[in-house]
Amino acid sequence: MKMDKSSLDAECCALNTVLVEEKKGHLIPNGSAHQGANGTLTISAATGAMSAAQKKQALPERETWTRQMDFMMSCVGFAVGLGNVWRFPYLCYKNGGGVFLIPYVLFIFLGGIPIFFLEIALGQFMKAGSINVWNIAPLFKGLGFASMVIVFFCNTYYIMVLAWGFYYFIKSLSSTLPWSSCDNPWNTENCIVNFRHNECHNGTIGNSTFGNRTCEELANGRSPIIEFWENKVLNISDGLDEPGVINWELLLCLMAVWVMVYFCVWKGVKSTGKIVYVTATFPYVVLIILLVRGVTLPGAYDGIMYYVKPDWSKLGEAQVWIDAGTQIFFSYAIGLGALTALGSYNRFNNDCYKDAFVLAFINSGTSFFSGFVVFSILGFMASEQGVDISKVAESGPGLAFIAYPKAISMMPMAPVWAALFFIMLLLLGLDSQFVGVEGFVTGILDLFPGKYYMRYKREIAVAICCLLCFIIDLSMVTQGGMYVFQLFDYYSASGMTLLWQAFWECVVVAWVYGADRFMDDIARMIGYRPFPWMKWCWSFITPCVCMGIFLFHLLNYKPLTYNNVYVYPWWGEVIGWCLALSSMLCIPVSVVYKLSAAKGTFRERWENLTKPVWGAHHLEYMAPDTDIKSLASLSPGTEENKIL
């Protein structure tokens, strides 16, 4: 086999050796690579037809989306999740209604879109998952490992919400909803269906009894939905130190959801890209149906006005701005590495700049729209109970599994609406879950070079990932499972970890690799330079925003509690901080280790360790004699850009 050598300029040094195969008289890269020596690129070309053995050994090229809409729907499915439905409406209500949209929209352009675009563009340019994508500055490859740790923790605990939703869905397939009455084995003597708040508040009952209960006893009663949630679903213990027994019904639901996730992911983006057409679009259909139903209920107008009525005084509170910034990072799924993995399956010349704006609009638009759905029904619930909406407006699991099911139980044909709601909940979370698993598996598989290729490598990797997460999840289906769930939710993928990750992503791309240099790379891909605003955000604005919110969180840290009553023990907080630091320390520890292990002066070490390691596909787009515009006009696999 004859070896041909072609030297590239200094910009392209450290390019990888590209194995090529012969197709229709042309030699094209097949995705396998080994780094060349002395800054040269060595290409191995078969002079004749490949033998059967050679063809068998030829490694497959990296998958790409069947059509670009597959990528868009996958991003929508991943980024648009339960947080849009249960967190944004509550924050909007809590922080001044419509006024909250001012800092929210501002942070979209200061942090959300710039980093969203950065992660997608980086994945598309490097054609790699969340770890190998940082070959753009190998010294900071710890960023990739940090994102892998975060997304692994997310995959582990987020699926519990789906297990609870699936459990509620099964229980709603009955003529009477089990959380609508007090006649069940799990109910206590304090269970009350009708609290009669109006009569007690207006003094029409006074100190007289109603159903053998005084107004004081009614005030201390417990709703059947709360008892169903705490006594039946969670069967919650008294603390983190009392794990108790496993809830076998919940365990079966957890197994069923993990099986669904596995078969959504095991065949790669070709199958994932099709499934998201259902999981990403059907929740919108259900949201529209629920909105139509919600606005026709009594009290819906009051609920919507509570949601959007501006309270201008809130703009002067720092917490409002912090909540807005944190929500952007949560809802845009930034720092998890999954967006990078999704972008890596794009065609090299896909217009990811335009995609970033479209996806941001869909994400934030869904959040705002969901608020009308949620608060129209919460308004109805407040009207029925005769209490202020602030008493029923909750965030997180409290909204999804207490407030909303209770409102549904008050509607005619309640089981139908309950089933519809929990199908929506399941699908909203399912696509976020399996795209998160896809991102994790992609990062793991990218670590293995081509020589380790085997036919069922992806299927085995997905199975191991799902099984490992499932084993950890066993701690969350016990009586103390909710305490474990909150530990993961509060620490492992908290605002602090995501903000820390986003800060370093901006610093590495803008200051280590070079913002102008990356803008040139993007121009090679999409054919034009993005608006300079992106460069300014990566270099100055977004890192300052991230670090500012990060420090605010750190200075205003409060110990974790459950229901504002149970305070976690000190060792529980230690476990939580270990979860947080397990990802945050990946970055500084890996930098210190690589610098200390390298040879030469500090300057030489820095230059060698920050020199990009290019992939095989860059050969077609980074030739020294071709300008940026002409490079950007090429697309992989077309006749005009074959390597001869």
Side-chain angles (χ1 to χ4, degrees):
M1 185 174 290
K2 184 180 178 181
M3 305 296 290
D4 296 325
K5 294 187 178 181
S6 66
S7 299
L8 298 181
D9 63 357
E11 173 75 11
C12 296
C13 66
L15 270 168
N16 296 338
T17 302
V18 183
L19 298 178
V20 293
E21 62 180 39
E22 188 174 38
K23 288 186 180 179
K24 298 180 182 179
H26 297 287
L27 296 172
I28 63 174
N30 67 4
S32 176
H34 300 283
Q35 187 169 329
N38 301 323
T40 62
L41 180 76
T42 306
I43 304 176
S44 300
T47 56
M50 295 177 67
S51 66
Q54 287 174 315
K55 289 182 179 179
K56 185 176 181 180
Q57 291 177 355
L59 304 178
E61 296 182 20
R62 188 176 188 84
E63 286 184 293
T64 57
W65 301 104
T66 305
R67 56 183 64 85
Q68 194 54 33
M69 187 55 70
D70 294 358
F71 164 71
M72 298 291 285
M73 298 302 292
S74 295
C75 285
V76 169
F78 180 64
V80 178
L82 299 173
N84 299 75
V85 175
W86 75 21
R87 195 166 187 267
F88 176 84
Y90 172 77
L91 289 178
C92 204
Y93 156 76
K94 170 191 168 188
N95 293 305
V99 169
F100 182 70
L101 294 177
I102 296 175
Y104 181 79
V105 171
L106 191 62
F107 280 121
I108 288 176
F109 291 98
L110 294 181
I113 293 178
I115 303 183
F116 193 87
F117 172 52
L118 176 102
E119 293 194 357
I120 293 175
L122 200 57
Q124 183 173 309
F125 179 66
M126 296 299 291
K127 289 287 183 184
S130 56
I131 295 178
N132 281 355
V133 76
W134 294 105
N135 280 336
I136 200 168
L139 176 61
F140 293 91
K141 217 168 182 178
L143 268 167
F145 290 103
S147 66
M148 292 288 283
V149 172
I150 296 173
V151 80
F152 176 77
F153 286 147
C154 276
N155 293 338
T156 300
Y157 82 86
Y158 188 82
I159 201 164
M160 282 306 304
V161 182
L162 306 187
W164 295 329
F166 190 63
Y167 184 84
Y168 270 80
F169 171 72
I170 297 299
K171 293 297 182 180
S172 65
L173 301 178
S174 60
S175 57
T176 304
L177 294 177
W179 57 82
S180 61
S181 68
C182 292
D183 304 324
N184 304 288
W186 57 82
N187 293 126
T188 65
E189 59 182 13
N190 293 325
C191 181
I192 301 172
V193 176
N194 189 349
F195 287 82
R196 301 183 68 87
H197 286 287
N198 279 334
E199 290 88 341
C200 286
H201 181 71
N202 296 329
T204 54
I205 295 180
N207 292 323
S208 62
T209 61
F210 178 81
N212 296 325
R213 296 177 188 268
T214 65
C215 282
E216 184 178 352
E217 291 173 330
L218 290 173
N220 295 325
R222 287 168 59 85
S223 168
I225 179 60
I226 294 178
E227 294 205 338
F228 178 78
W229 169 243
E230 293 189 349
N231 299 346
K232 176 62 177 173
V233 180
L234 300 180
N235 193 17
I236 195 165
S237 65
D238 292 330
L240 184 64
D241 55 344
E242 297 180 23
V245 298
I246 290 178
N247 183 333
W248 292 103
E249 289 182 317
L250 205 55
L251 178 63
L252 292 175
C253 290
L254 179 66
M255 291 177 62
V257 177
W258 267 122
V259 169
M260 284 189 277
V261 170
Y262 176 78
F263 286 107
C264 286
V265 178
W266 72 319
K267 288 298 183 183
V269 296
K270 298 295 184 185
S271 61
T272 303
K274 303 298 180 292
I275 296 169
V276 290
Y277 279 89
V278 176
T279 58
T281 56
F282 186 72
Y284 288 95
V285 176
V286 179
L287 279 173
I288 292 172
I289 294 173
L290 290 174
L291 177 64
V292 172
R293 176 56 181 155
V295 296
T296 60
L297 295 170
Y301 176 79
D302 293 331
I304 292 174
M305 290 309 296
Y306 259 87
Y307 172 51
V308 299
K309 184 179 179 181
D311 181 359
W312 298 102
S313 63
K314 292 283 188 179
L315 279 179
E317 298 180 11
Q319 187 63 49
V320 175
W321 294 82
I322 300 302
D323 283 346
T326 305
Q327 174 62 16
I328 288 294
F329 286 90
F330 270 119
S331 64
Y332 279 47
I334 288 167
L336 301 177
L339 294 175
T340 305
L342 295 178
S344 72
Y345 297 117
N346 278 337
R347 292 176 294 106
F348 190 82
N349 63 348
N350 171 62
D351 193 347
C352 53
Y353 183 58
K354 179 185 68 177
D355 291 348
F357 282 92
V358 172
L359 292 167
F361 174 78
I362 293 173
N363 191 314
S364 297
T366 302
S367 297
F368 187 62
F369 175 73
S370 299
F372 290 95
V373 180
V374 170
F375 272 85
S376 64
I377 294 182
L378 291 183
F380 160 73
M381 185 176 172
S383 175
E384 286 290 301
Q385 293 183 346
V387 298
D388 191 82
I389 293 179
S390 61
K391 302 294 183 182
V392 296
E394 298 183 62
S395 178
L399 176 61
F401 299 111
I402 297 177
Y404 216 96
K406 186 171 184 177
I408 290 173
S409 68
M410 300 175 182
M411 298 181 186
M413 300 175 60
V416 175
W417 296 108
L420 204 58
F421 171 74
F422 287 111
I423 287 176
M424 179 196 72
L425 197 73
L426 203 57
L427 292 179
L428 272 175
L430 189 61
D431 48 15
S432 297
Q433 179 71 23
F434 69 66
V435 173
V437 173
E438 172 69 45
F440 180 79
V441 171
T442 297
I444 293 295
L445 293 181
D446 282 350
L447 289 176
F448 294 94
K451 63 181 180 180
Y452 293 109
Y453 171 75
M454 57 181 292
R455 187 176 179 184
Y456 297 107
K457 182 166 69 172
R458 162 171 281 276
E459 289 86 342
I460 294 172
V462 174
I464 293 173
C465 172
C466 292
L467 182 61
L468 187 58
C469 290
F470 175 77
I471 292 172
I472 298 174
D473 286 333
L474 292 178
S475 64
M476 301 185 199
V477 293
T478 62
Q479 290 176 278
M482 174 52 82
Y483 303 111
V484 180
F485 173 85
Q486 277 206 325
L487 268 182
F488 274 82
D489 185 44
Y490 193 75
Y491 290 100
S492 68
S494 65
M496 284 195 297
T497 56
L498 298 180
L499 290 163
W500 177 259
Q501 182 79 2
F503 170 80
W504 283 107
E505 286 181 5
C506 290
V507 168
V508 172
V509 171
W511 294 101
V512 179
Y513 181 73
D516 286 317
R517 190 179 181 187
F518 191 57
M519 291 285 276
D520 290 341
D521 296 334
I522 293 171
R524 286 187 173 96
M525 293 192 294
I526 67 178
Y528 61 92
R529 290 178 68 89
F531 189 67
W533 173 256
M534 288 294 172
K535 181 180 68 174
W536 301 335
C537 284
W538 297 335
S539 302
F540 305 105
I541 302 172
T542 305
C544 290
V545 168
C546 293
M547 188 50 61
I549 301 176
F550 174 83
L551 292 175
F552 182 89
H553 272 290
L554 204 59
L555 295 173
N556 291 274
Y557 169 77
K558 295 179 181 178
L560 179 60
T561 62
Y562 177 71
N563 275 353
N564 296 319
V565 176
Y566 174 76
V567 179
Y568 278 67
W570 67 268
W571 55 268
E573 287 198 60
V574 169
I575 294 174
W577 277 106
C578 287
L579 293 174
L581 293 175
S582 62
S583 63
M584 295 172 68
L585 289 179
C586 284
I587 303 167
V589 168
S590 66
V591 169
V592 171
Y593 172 76
K594 288 190 175 185
L595 284 173
S596 60
K599 296 180 180 179
T601 65
F602 180 81
R603 183 185 181 89
E604 291 172 339
R605 297 181 192 187
W606 178 269
E607 289 179 350
N608 290 330
L609 290 172
T610 56
K611 184 182 297 181
V613 178
W614 300 120
H617 63 286
H618 292 107
L619 179 69
E620 302 176 41
Y621 302 97
M622 300 185 70
D625 297 329
T626 314
D627 62 33
I628 290 174
K629 185 174 182 180
S630 61
L631 284 171
S633 66
L634 299 178
S635 60
T638 57
E639 291 298 320
E640 60 267 23
N641 68 356
K642 302 291 184 184
I643 302 171
L644 299 177

